[in-house]
Amino acid sequence: MLVRAHEAGSEAEESIAMRKPLAAVSPYSEDAQSGSGMALLRAGRFREAVEQLEKTRADFDKSPQVELARNALEDLSRER
């Protein structure tokens, strides 16, 4: 829950620092994996977010949360 408190605020780097280890120890948790990608996305670390979300997409191919985040990244890359 602490990680969600960081995400609700403007503490993106703290959220990433908490999400990365959580994703590492929870490879079968869709929330942990997609949450790590979303935290990277919110922090503007797009390249890392793409890598994490692509990995998550491969592991959880039916996840609407992952697809939504991946589509947002694709939209951002088109705008640049």
Side-chain angles (χ1 to χ4, degrees), residues 7-71:
E7 290 170 350
S10 59
E11 301 165 345
E13 292 303 319
E14 289 87 351
S15 176
I16 291 167
M18 296 177 86
R19 283 283 186 181
K20 279 191 170 189
L22 181 61
V25 299
S26 306
Y28 303 109
S29 168
E30 180 182 344
D31 181 60
Q33 298 303 315
S34 64
S36 181
M38 295 295 291
L40 290 163
L41 176 63
R42 281 190 291 275
R45 292 166 57 174
F46 301 122
R47 188 164 307 193
E48 292 172 86
V50 167
E51 291 172 10
Q52 179 62 36
L53 291 169
E54 286 296 330
K55 178 190 172 304
T56 305
R57 184 189 217 181
D59 294 341
F60 303 98
D61 64 339
K62 303 287 189 242
S63 171
Q65 182 177 357
V66 173
E67 287 302 310
L68 181 64
R70 186 66 186 103
N71 290 340

